[in-house]
């Protein structure tokens, strides 16, 4: 095979491979569901329990609910941070609208971002400190009567449930 034919053949293989690369990368980036634990939100009308994936390290928090095309009503993700800080969340590569509940060390909701739009990279979060974020389906906080000042119960928080 001549050098120019070899170059053209190699270029053709690279073009085909480049076309397959985005699909392979997006499949590799799809997160596996994390282990779940119950998380309870106390509302005026009673408690709401979510089967919740726990994101408690940097890698898990970085991926969060990215690439998910649905989130059942009774599912959530709890982002846990080692110490209170000014947490900012965004919706990069997130395909579904979400409500974000920001909690302090006691599990008190200090801020709610309602119906964050998919793919919106606007940083969202409270002006003050938080230690956890519970992400639920967009619109559920309003529908379930979840408001600022209410309590989220899970062993991570200092609210009588361990932590």
């Amino acid at each position: 095979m001549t050098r120019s034919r070899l170059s053209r053949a190699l270029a053709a293989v690279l073009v085909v491979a480049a076309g397959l690369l985005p699909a392979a990368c997006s499949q590799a980036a799809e997160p596996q569901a994390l282990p779940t634990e119950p998380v309870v939100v106390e509302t005026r009308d009673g408690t709401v329990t979510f089967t919740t994936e726990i994101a408690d390290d940097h890698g898990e928090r970085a991926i969060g609910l990215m690439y998910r095309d649905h989130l059942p009503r009774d599912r959530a993700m709890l982002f846990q941070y080692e110490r209170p800080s000014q947490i900012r969340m965004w919706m990069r590569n997130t395909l579904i609208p979400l409500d974000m509940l920001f909690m302090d060390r006691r599990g008190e909701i200090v801020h709610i971002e309602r119906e964050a739009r998919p793919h919106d990279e606007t940083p969202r979060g409270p002006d003050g400190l938080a230690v956890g974020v519970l992400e639920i389906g967009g619109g559920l906080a309003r529908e379930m009567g979840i408001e600022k000042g209410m309590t989220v119960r899970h062993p991570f928080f200092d609210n009588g449930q361990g932590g």
Side-chain angles (χ1 to χ4, degrees):
M1 187 179 279
T2 68
R3 188 176 189 115
S4 66
R5 271 189 171 173
L6 183 60
S7 294
R8 283 195 301 266
L10 182 58
V13 168
L14 290 174
V15 167
V16 170
L20 297 175
L21 187 60
C25 287
S26 84
Q27 288 174 357
E30 287 186 37
Q32 296 295 316
L34 301 172
T36 61
E37 299 176 9
V39 171
V40 176
V41 181
E42 296 179 352
T43 73
R44 287 190 184 94
D45 297 327
T47 60
V48 178
T49 302
F50 293 95
T51 300
T52 305
E53 294 178 53
I54 307 299
D56 60 1
D57 69 35
H58 178 73
E60 293 167 351
R61 291 189 301 258
I63 294 172
L65 291 171
M66 288 181 177
Y67 309 108
R68 311 273 181 108
D69 59 6
H70 72 285
L71 183 66
R73 289 175 54 86
D74 65 338
R75 300 294 297 239
M77 182 173 279
L78 177 61
F79 295 77
Q80 298 176 348
Y81 294 85
E82 293 77 26
R83 61 188 157 281
S85 58
Q86 190 172 35
I87 299 171
R88 293 288 181 245
M89 306 288 279
W90 59 14
M91 298 287 287
R92 176 182 292 166
N93 299 320
T94 306
L95 309 175
I96 53 176
L98 298 171
D99 288 348
M100 302 172 189
L101 315 177
F102 293 79
M103 288 81 57
D104 67 12
R105 192 72 197 121
R106 297 166 306 177
E108 181 178 328
I109 299 171
V110 297
H111 182 78
I112 299 177
E113 288 287 339
R114 297 180 189 276
E115 298 192 51
R117 292 184 329 269
H119 305 291
D120 184 354
E121 294 191 19
T122 304
R124 301 167 177 280
D127 291 332
L129 304 179
V131 73
V133 181
L134 184 68
E135 289 186 341
I136 61 177
L140 286 180
R142 183 169 281 113
E143 181 182 321
M144 295 177 169
I146 300 171
E147 299 173 3
K148 183 177 173 182
M150 293 181 170
T151 301
V152 175
R153 294 209 177 273
H154 179 270
F156 176 69
F157 300 111
D158 295 332
N159 57 23
Q161 296 286 329

